[in-house]
Amino acid sequence: MHIAELLRKNLTAVRERIAAAAARCERDPRDITLIGVTKYVSAEIARELVNAGVTSLGESRPQELSRKRDALADLPIDWHLIGHLQRNKIKLLPDQCLLHSVDSLRLLTALEEEAAHRGIVWPILLEVNISGDAAKHGFVPAEMAQPIEALHSCPHLQLQGLMTMAALEGGCERARINFHALRELRDQLAVQHPQLPLQELSMGMSDDFEVAIEEGARLIRVGSALFEGLPDDFATA
Ligand SMILES: *Cc1c(COP(=O)(O)O)cnc(C)c1O
């Protein structure tokens, strides 16, 4: 099958899954943004995905994000950094990019410094380690007061919401518990800090985005489901 045709077929299947999940919880599917995670594929394949209609793309590494962004500069794309960010890579970030994985106070401070230096405002999400998994990055739910307090002195960062990854083990039902907990945490913070814009919830990947939508996700990060069936030589990680 031709690459473009395969991507269209995969995209249709993903959009149908989004629509079905949204219908189950009476949400408008237009409130859910599909972020195509292109970390597995080349810029050429990412271009085909954009041509098929996905205009939000996510990458886990700043250097790869910049590389694809340059290669696809002629296309209107909203870029998302979804992976753990090392402070020494901040300089590689483009000015316009939603940062999903802000996971420490040190990173917040370093991002603020760079954004102030550039004279820009970066939109950010705070990553929460909701599953309590020791291997996962993110703020501890009980300690969210720390980054929220720190953001008072970060005028060049604009908080938009929260992000999480579900526990690796336990399948969709464990994921549902994690996503539900993130939403509750967001709702609780919104009551405590009514001035904070916390509308975005970034949660759900290929295997669990339906439960994420049912639990309130507004940004879903989908990679493998979009690139299924692609010959290996096209997938250059
Ligand atoms: C790779 C990745 C995804 C996409 O995962 P799939 O299971 O391939 O859909 C989503 N979020 C993050 C943070 C990732 O690193």
Side-chain angles (χ1 to χ4, degrees):
M1 198 188 288
H2 193 268
I3 299 291
E5 200 184 323
L6 179 77
L7 290 180
R8 281 208 173 76
K9 180 174 142 276
N10 287 348
L11 178 58
T12 303
V14 167
R15 292 233 191 266
E16 282 170 6
R17 287 172 61 190
I18 293 172
R24 279 196 295 279
C25 55
E26 298 179 356
R27 293 186 58 194
D28 185 340
R30 284 171 302 188
D31 293 340
I32 298 150
T33 299
L34 169 64
I35 300 169
V37 176
T38 48
K39 66 185 181 192
Y40 314 104
V41 299
S42 64
E44 295 79 272
I45 302 284
R47 175 179 293 278
E48 296 287 349
L49 187 68
V50 178
N51 288 337
V54 179
T55 53
S56 296
L57 298 185
E59 280 287 332
S60 22
R61 291 160 194 257
Q63 50 277 61
E64 184 57 20
L65 192 153
S66 310
R67 219 177 56 78
K68 284 206 177 79
R69 191 172 169 277
D70 290 347
L72 305 176
D74 55 312
L75 298 173
I77 298 169
D78 291 327
W79 285 100
H80 297 255
L81 183 83
I82 61 170
H84 175 62
L85 177 59
Q86 287 169 309
R87 282 176 298 152
N88 62 359
K89 300 286 160 57
I90 290 175
K91 290 211 164 18
L92 300 172
L93 290 170
D95 288 355
Q96 277 154 7
C97 179
L98 174 60
L99 311 176
H100 287 232
S101 35
V102 178
D103 57 8
S104 72
L105 294 174
R106 293 201 315 171
L107 180 59
L108 262 184
T109 309
L111 284 169
E112 167 62 23
E113 208 171 286
E114 176 68 13
H117 176 70
R118 294 192 199 181
I120 60 164
V121 174
W122 264 317
I124 65 161
L125 306 179
L126 294 174
E127 180 171 355
V128 183
N129 183 356
I130 205 86
S131 65
D133 189 331
K136 285 224 155 77
H137 296 285
F139 292 100
V140 176
E143 294 172 3
M144 294 306 287
Q146 291 178 7
I148 287 173
E149 175 63 32
L151 277 167
H152 290 313
S153 33
C154 299
H156 300 88
L157 302 179
Q158 215 250 328
L159 181 64
Q160 298 199 340
L162 306 180
M163 177 270 205
T164 203
M165 312 250 290
L168 285 174
E169 310 285 323
C172 275
E173 287 318 304
R174 179 72 195 281
R176 183 188 296 283
I177 291 168
N178 291 158
F179 297 151
H180 188 79
L182 189 73
R183 194 220 170 108
E184 297 232 294
L185 177 65
R186 191 277 306 271
D187 292 350
Q188 188 189 326
L189 293 173
V191 170
Q192 289 164 357
H193 308 275
Q195 80 289 1
L196 278 186
L198 283 166
Q199 69 282 7
E200 298 300 350
L201 283 177
S202 167
M203 53 191 196
M205 321 199 320
S206 289
D207 292 334
D208 56 23
F209 69 76
E210 284 111 326
V211 293
I213 290 170
E214 289 171 26
E215 297 301 332
R218 283 175 45 91
L219 302 168
I220 59 171
R221 312 178 307 264
V222 179
S224 25
L226 292 170
F227 300 110
E228 232 164 52
L230 210 63
D232 280 348
D233 39 329
F234 281 100
T236 53

